[in-house]
Amino acid sequence: MKNKEVVKLLQEIGQLLELKGENPFRVRSYEKAAQNIAALTEPIEKFVSNDKLKTIPGVGEGIAKKIKEYLETGKLKYFDELKKVFPEGLLEILSVPGIGPKTAKTLYDELKIKSLAQLEKAAKEHRLSKLHRLGEKTEENILRGIQMVRKGGERILLSSALFLAKPIIKELEKCPDVKDINLAGSIRRKKETIKDIDILCTAKKSDVVMDKFVNLPQVKEILAQGETKSSIILDEDIQVDLRVIKPESYGAALMYFTGSKDHNIALRELARKKGYKINEYGLFKLGKRSGRVSPRGKGAGSAKPVRETRVAGGSEEGVYKKLGLQYIPPEIREASGEIEMASRNKIPRLIAQSDIKGDLHVHSRYSDGAGKLTEIAEKEKSMGLEWVGICDHSQSLRVAGGLRPNVVYEKIEEIKKINKKNKNFKVLCGMEVDILSDGSLDYDDELLSQLDLVIAAIHTGFKQSEEQLTERIISAMENKYVHMIAHPQGRLLGKREPYALNMEKVLKTAQKTQTFLEINAYPERLDLYDIYCRKAKERGILMGIGTDAHTLNQTENLCLGVAVARRGWLERRDVLNTISYNELIKTLGRKKRNVC
Ligand code: DGT
Ligand code: CA
């Protein structure tokens, strides 16, 4: 699968074109194509073989041809020619968040900076801050950006990791020797980025499973093949570790390798206080007369062997229970109060995928999405949902096909007709309205009042001060027609830090104005993030999951939103997507009635 390579190629072409001063629409189409390919749930090669490349938004005739050439020959003449115009190393510099083509050019012209290492050196020596236009703050941001690029290279998005892991699990499950199998580590906890994929299983004969594992077609390199652990590198340069565990230890091992490390440390401490020992082999009662003598176990400073008896280990539930704890779902095993809550039986029933009835944020062909309204409705319906909020971009976001007011009215009419025809599925006419630099909205109240769903978002002016950005969001929330703030923190994982916001103020205003906050489930965003979801919940703020889908397949990313919600301890009642269409309409009307 070459999705990652193609994304990088298109992003780099976009950057070089921007540097050349090309038409911004052309630049944007490369960016958009790259973004949409990054979020694909299928290999790009499949789109080529099925002749479906042009169904991906942003991929027109020209880009499709380039992708084909690259996949067929491993090279792209157009890109090679384009690169010749610029110094080598420039692309590396452009990958640093906050360094756009203009800054890169200044750095080259004035300081002869041609590589990441030279850039880092210059920033550390404060040579950047002396340049015209670049202040100390930019210099700090650049240093942070360099770290992000380096870190970003080591970790992959949760969606990509799941995409790579699922077929491996499926293949191994087919092995008749395999009994239990599960993901562990950060991918099981659904962290937003993943370093490596951890898999655990039980098997009658470990060598058969290990053989199958290291011979999977997607394996690029075998790092190790052993009886209990094997490690491979996939074509995408991601490491996968498989451990074969004895059935009596499977639960304990799953807990240990799921982590988090801090959760494990806290559990170990609790176990110790209760007279147990916990490790990846099981939970053992210490000091009893009966039982085995620990092979390694000698009490600290004592010459007497410590006797230990296994009291649990086969299942996670069994281990938690013996420790006097309620079962703790993997997503909240982060040592953030879950153990104490579990000891008091206070772990809530977290929201589940099966609770979801709709998606609040999908783009259609009206702006920069690929699907027609009816196609989106059909797709969502086929996933068992009951409603969808179709929120296209507003007029000032021209590069993303923002809608002029008269077109919004056309969309309203079309949706009315669709809803009339459909009894069991409803489309909400929504818009993702830009919060402009001065905090005003991109449409007037008259138009906003006609919409079923208004989500407001910042797409420009990220470099404003914390005060300005916070004020922009606050003033949007103070508009009685704004239901929800989309991707409130504006980060792009591995590419752009969240913009400077005073989150306490944002949460306080959301609570006061009864504005909802989005959990944007676009793989690169996952924004609002878990810790703020939890804070929002504590304030009684309702959250809404939006996939921000630009293609039909991207609507399947709802599961990522559910993952973030679970990591944020959210329950069904905290999330708008779990209510029926009629309840939703009522809930959306509440702000207008109560607050403003
Ligand atoms: P990652 O791979 O960086 O995305 O995050 P994890 O959490 O998957 O970390 P990884 O793969 O290094 O280790 C998997 C799990 O193994 C981790 O979540 C907890 C457990 N673990 C690893 N090292 C230690 C350790 O030193 N002490 C304890 N108690 N547990 C550990
Ligand atoms: Ca891991």
Side-chain angles (χ1 to χ4, degrees):
M1 191 177 96
K2 298 250 163 72
N3 297 28
K4 220 165 113 183
E5 278 175 45
V6 173
V7 168
K8 191 160 172 262
L9 175 79
L10 297 178
Q11 277 170 343
E12 292 181 345
I13 294 177
Q15 285 170 326
L16 294 182
L17 289 178
E18 193 177 349
L19 197 57
K20 258 182 91 184
E22 280 279 347
N23 175 342
F25 286 88
R26 188 144 178 252
V27 173
R28 169 76 183 160
S29 70
Y30 279 94
E31 285 168 2
K32 202 173 117 187
Q35 215 177 31
N36 286 316
I37 293 167
L40 286 179
T41 49
E42 284 180 298
I44 185 82
E45 291 89 334
K46 220 169 141 184
F47 285 79
V48 177
S49 56
N50 295 344
D51 203 17
K52 291 256 180 228
L53 273 177
K54 284 193 270 172
T55 62
I56 304 169
V59 180
E61 187 68 41
I63 295 183
K65 251 172 125 180
K66 292 185 179 80
I67 295 174
K68 259 196 204 156
E69 180 187 327
Y70 180 74
L71 290 177
E72 278 161 14
T73 65
K75 280 198 304 194
L76 180 64
K77 253 195 216 144
Y78 173 77
F79 183 50
D80 294 340
E81 292 298 317
L82 192 61
K83 272 196 297 190
K84 279 187 199 154
V85 184
F86 303 99
E88 251 179 81
L90 186 76
L91 283 170
E92 205 184 17
I93 291 172
L94 279 169
S95 67
V96 176
I99 298 200
K102 263 195 215 146
T103 311
K105 189 167 183 314
T106 313
L107 293 170
Y108 177 71
D109 290 345
E110 303 201 14
L111 298 175
K112 297 280 163 272
I113 290 175
K114 287 183 278 183
S115 71
L116 212 56
Q118 286 174 342
L119 179 65
E120 187 172 25
K121 191 162 179 278
K124 284 188 173 155
E125 290 167 359
H126 302 293
R127 282 186 281 133
L128 305 187
S129 54
K130 295 195 185 94
L131 283 182
H132 173 62
R133 278 194 333 114
L134 302 180
E136 267 174 43
K137 209 170 147 215
T138 314
E139 195 168 64
E140 277 167 31
N141 286 342
I142 288 176
L143 274 173
R144 220 175 302 127
I146 293 172
Q147 299 218 324
M148 252 176 98
V149 169
R150 293 196 172 133
K151 234 172 47 195
E154 291 162 15
R155 303 186 70 84
I156 60 168
L157 299 178
L158 172 64
S159 65
S160 313
L162 288 169
F163 177 72
L164 296 172
K166 278 178 188 161
I168 299 178
I169 298 267
K170 216 168 150 192
E171 210 42 48
L172 295 178
E173 266 172 348
K174 285 188 202 155
C175 219
D177 281 311
V178 169
K179 208 172 149 258
D180 296 301
I181 184 160
N182 214 328
L183 289 169
S186 51
I187 188 170
R188 183 166 181 237
R189 301 198 315 278
K190 309 272 169 58
K191 270 201 74 141
E192 57 213 11
T193 61
I194 309 293
K195 186 191 73 201
D196 50 20
I197 298 170
D198 305 286
I199 303 175
L200 261 58
C201 73
T202 58
K204 271 189 243 141
K205 282 192 192 156
S206 82
D207 51 343
V208 179
V209 190
M210 293 306 193
D211 260 353
K212 181 145 193 181
F213 177 62
V214 300
N215 286 308
L216 288 168
Q218 57 269 55
V219 174
K220 180 171 155 187
E221 195 186 334
I222 302 169
L223 296 178
Q225 181 177 4
E227 206 181 309
T228 54
K229 182 184 170 194
S230 297
S231 298
I232 54 169
I233 302 279
L234 300 179
D235 287 336
E236 288 76 12
D237 288 325
I238 294 301
Q239 183 170 334
V240 188
D241 295 340
L242 174 68
R243 289 181 168 84
V244 177
I245 311 288
K246 293 211 167 82
E248 66 270 26
S249 295
Y250 187 64
L254 203 49
M255 281 171 75
Y256 182 85
F257 291 108
T258 294
S260 65
K261 189 173 163 187
D262 290 341
H263 176 86
N264 289 352
I265 292 170
L267 272 188
R268 206 157 52 215
E269 185 54 22
L270 176 75
R272 195 187 58 77
K273 280 190 192 147
K274 295 195 169 215
Y276 292 115
K277 180 174 111 179
I278 188 170
N279 56 28
E280 62 266 50
Y281 302 103
L283 181 71
F284 302 94
K285 185 87 187 156
L286 299 178
K288 290 259 175 174
R289 270 196 209 157
S290 59
R292 69 182 182 123
V293 174
S294 161
R296 282 153 287 144
K298 295 209 170 164
S302 150
K304 273 191 196 167
V306 177
R307 287 195 177 279
E308 36 183 72
T309 315
R310 175 193 302 279
V311 290
S315 74
E316 289 189 318
E317 287 80 359
V319 177
Y320 280 119
K321 196 166 170 202
K322 260 288 178 257
L323 285 170
L325 300 175
Q326 199 184 347
Y327 178 77
I328 302 176
E331 293 90 337
I332 58 169
R333 296 183 194 169
E334 296 292 348
S336 57
E338 72 278 9
I339 293 179
E340 211 251 312
M341 293 292 262
S343 71
R344 294 194 285 126
N345 219 23
K346 291 260 190 255
I347 299 281
R349 178 203 171 272
L350 302 181
I351 182 174
Q353 180 78 32
S354 55
D355 295 327
I356 302 294
K357 293 190 161 64
D359 183 346
L360 284 158
H361 184 173
V362 175
H363 291 265
S364 76
R365 267 195 211 173
Y366 269 94
S367 60
D368 57 349
K372 293 185 201 158
L373 299 181
T374 45
E375 288 170 339
I376 295 169
E378 275 311 310
K379 169 72 183 172
E380 302 266 2
K381 210 165 134 184
S382 75
M383 296 197 299
L385 302 180
E386 297 170 17
W387 52 260
V388 61
I390 302 189
C391 299
D392 287 295
H393 289 293
S394 63
Q395 55 186 341
S396 73
L397 212 59
R398 299 291 303 141
V399 286
L403 272 59
R404 298 229 183 270
N406 60 319
V407 187
V408 180
Y409 284 107
E410 284 168 25
K411 182 175 156 181
I412 292 174
E413 289 312 311
E414 190 184 341
I415 288 179
K416 274 186 195 157
K417 281 185 203 151
I418 293 174
N419 283 340
K420 244 189 204 162
K421 277 195 207 151
N422 270 301
K423 279 217 174 75
N424 303 325
F425 190 89
K426 295 288 177 211
V427 177
L428 288 101
C429 186
M431 290 300 292
E432 182 181 11
V433 182
D434 258 54
I435 305 171
L436 305 176
S437 302
D438 61 357
S440 63
L441 293 168
D442 204 12
Y443 292 131
D444 60 24
D445 281 3
E446 170 57 27
L447 176 50
L448 297 181
S449 72
Q450 302 301 307
L451 295 164
D452 299 322
L453 177 61
V454 176
I455 63 178
I458 289 184
H459 289 113
T460 52
F462 304 128
K463 288 191 178 153
Q464 286 182 340
S465 68
E466 176 178 314
E467 209 184 346
Q468 282 171 312
L469 283 157
T470 308
E471 270 314 309
R472 273 168 83 183
I473 298 238
I474 287 178
S475 57
M477 289 198 277
E478 280 168 350
N479 183 303
K480 66 177 169 184
Y481 298 113
V482 170
H483 297 112
M484 183 163 87
I485 301 295
H487 43 75
Q489 298 192 267
R491 70 160 168 194
L492 290 177
L493 286 160
K495 284 191 199 150
R496 189 171 76 207
E497 293 272 23
Y499 31 67
L501 278 184
N502 180 331
M503 282 307 290
E504 271 312 300
K505 276 194 187 165
V506 170
L507 293 175
K508 214 166 143 186
T509 315
Q511 180 181 13
K512 190 182 83 187
T513 58
Q514 296 194 8
T515 309
F516 312 126
L517 295 178
E518 183 184 50
I519 297 174
N520 188 293
Y522 201 81
E524 277 184 323
R525 291 194 184 269
L526 303 189
D527 169 14
L528 200 64
Y529 11 129
D530 45 23
I531 48 165
Y532 287 113
C533 291
R534 202 169 166 191
K535 286 190 184 202
K537 174 189 172 144
E538 282 162 11
R539 287 179 176 271
I541 298 165
L542 283 181
M543 313 284 300
I545 300 173
T547 56
D548 208 346
H550 285 70
T551 65
L552 294 177
N553 279 343
Q554 287 172 4
T555 55
E556 290 165 21
N557 288 333
L558 266 172
C559 59
L560 300 177
V562 173
V564 175
R566 285 173 65 85
R567 285 182 58 82
W569 290 62
L570 302 192
E571 296 165 70
R572 185 176 12 203
R573 62 168 185 224
D574 302 316
V575 180
L576 280 171
N577 308 60
T578 62
I579 59 182
S580 68
Y581 173 75
N582 288 336
E583 276 179 87
L584 180 66
I585 293 294
K586 255 192 257 164
T587 311
L588 291 174
R590 213 162 59 188
K591 179 173 177 181
K592 256 181 288 184
R593 285 196 305 272
N594 293 353
V595 183
C596 309

